[in-house]
Amino acid sequence: MRYKYLILIAFFIVSIKIRSQVPIIATAWKDQVTSYEELVPIDKNNFLQYDYSSIFSNQNRFKGDLWSSYIGVFGPKNTRIEFHLQAIKSTDETYQIKGFSKLGKNIRSLEGLFKIKNFFKSENRDICFMLFEYNLKEPGDRNGDGYFTGIGSIVFQVSDNDNTVNIFWAASGELRKYNNVFAGTWNRYNSKVSRECVFSFSPTGFAQLPFREYFYKEFEEDDECKCNYDIKEEFMKYGWEGYYGGSKDDWWYDLEVFFE
């Protein structure tokens, strides 16, 4: 009896440890995505045949570009942070990631994984949602390095013509708040220091970052659609002064050769 009791305690401790590896904000993002009223779970094995590296990229420079640029917020001040990442399929479920992050003037190389976790399909439309875990590690050769971890989401369609996958973009901006959104934390190596970090293709415009409602200006009464999100003035001093719409700097331009 005592032996069984010890096993139960050990199992409970391990379970807590496993759950603690997923940041609270990441779990909240997973819950928010899966609560979308149209969605039903679908068998993951039916969708792992596709190569999703093309929709992990926003193809912002030329067709077939494997590099993606993302912008988001870091820490309690919502400091501007940027990522430039490349995704290459490793196994049916995992994608090898390499690239860079930029926080202020600090640029760090990153390597890690995206791991596909779940697929969901809309009951009303021919669109699918994907949830994936991400883990992006800084080199660790500087004091203060760490790693980014959390849950990402993508909305996509499967093409009937060539059996490929494509990002779902609606002209109305519908569902953009779920598309290529990353919600999680940065954690310093060998330390309890942790900072929330949320980023996407574009943190303004038709979509807003999740859990950051206070980051955006309130709509005026005469705003036509009340759907164009702008950053509050009080946050501009944290790296957002030169940011307009979906504009992205090319700070990463000469760094890609680092991985060639």
Side-chain angles (χ1 to χ4, degrees):
M1 185 70 180
R2 182 182 178 185
Y3 178 71
K4 290 183 178 179
Y5 181 70
L6 292 174
I7 290 177
L8 286 172
I9 293 176
F11 178 78
F12 180 71
I13 293 173
V14 171
S15 298
I16 291 176
K17 185 177 181 180
I18 291 173
R19 286 197 299 270
S20 67
Q21 294 173 353
V22 180
I24 293 174
I25 189 174
T27 301
W29 180 233
K30 178 180 178 181
D31 292 342
Q32 184 169 319
V33 173
T34 55
S35 66
Y36 185 68
E37 60 184 8
E38 295 183 11
L39 298 186
V40 292
I42 50 180
D43 188 350
K44 180 169 69 174
N45 294 321
N46 292 338
F47 281 79
L48 291 178
Q49 60 183 295
Y50 303 111
D51 185 348
Y52 294 96
S53 57
S54 64
I55 64 172
F56 285 129
S57 170
N58 58 1
Q59 302 175 344
N60 61 334
R61 298 177 300 179
F62 52 84
K63 185 177 180 179
D65 184 17
L66 293 176
W67 290 89
S68 326
S69 299
Y70 304 92
I71 301 180
V73 296
F74 180 91
K77 295 180 179 179
N78 293 291
T79 303
R80 177 177 172 178
I81 187 169
E82 301 186 38
F83 295 85
H84 194 58
L85 307 175
Q86 180 186 117
I88 298 176
K89 189 171 184 177
S90 179
T91 70
D92 284 347
E93 291 183 306
T94 60
Y95 288 73
Q96 202 73 32
I97 309 300
K98 54 187 179 183
F100 308 91
S101 66
K102 180 177 183 290
L103 182 65
K105 295 182 179 180
N106 186 39
I107 297 175
R108 303 299 289 141
S109 63
L110 299 170
E111 294 196 40
L113 284 175
F114 291 171
K115 184 176 182 180
I116 296 173
K117 300 301 292 181
N118 309 99
F119 289 103
F120 301 86
K121 187 174 179 59
S122 168
E123 291 184 302
N124 305 322
R125 292 174 289 178
D126 188 24
I127 56 174
C128 299
F129 283 51
M130 177 208 295
L131 287 174
F132 59 94
E133 291 181 355
Y134 64 90
N135 193 293
L136 304 170
K137 299 179 180 179
E138 295 172 337
D141 57 353
R142 289 186 190 174
N143 184 30
D145 274 1
Y147 63 95
F148 298 88
T149 187
I151 295 289
S153 61
I154 287 181
V155 187
F156 68 95
Q157 293 177 306
V158 178
S159 172
D160 294 330
N161 297 328
D162 53 8
N163 213 33
T164 59
V165 291
N166 301 287
I167 294 175
F168 174 75
W169 292 121
S172 64
E174 183 186 15
L175 301 182
R176 289 195 183 189
K177 64 180 180 180
Y178 300 112
N179 221 338
N180 295 81
V181 176
F182 297 71
T185 58
W186 172 85
N187 305 279
R188 184 178 293 169
Y189 293 135
N190 302 318
S191 170
K192 293 183 179 180
V193 173
S194 180
R195 299 286 183 266
E196 287 190 352
C197 182
V198 186
F199 55 99
S200 68
F201 281 160
S202 178
T204 58
F206 281 118
Q208 61 176 323
L209 296 172
F211 315 116
R212 290 297 182 275
E213 291 80 5
Y214 60 87
F215 182 64
Y216 300 94
K217 295 178 181 178
E218 295 181 2
F219 294 119
E220 302 292 339
E221 288 187 11
D222 57 352
D223 288 338
E224 292 185 6
C225 70
K226 293 184 172 54
C227 57
N228 191 19
Y229 297 94
D230 290 321
I231 301 168
K232 284 182 178 178
E233 292 298 328
E234 64 193 83
F235 295 105
M236 299 301 286
K237 60 185 177 182
Y238 300 116
W240 296 100
E241 298 93 338
Y243 180 78
Y244 300 98
S247 63
K248 296 174 183 178
D249 300 327
D250 60 354
W251 56 269
W252 34 259
Y253 187 78
D254 294 325
L255 295 173
E256 293 176 8
V257 295
F258 179 86
F259 286 112
E260 292 182 355

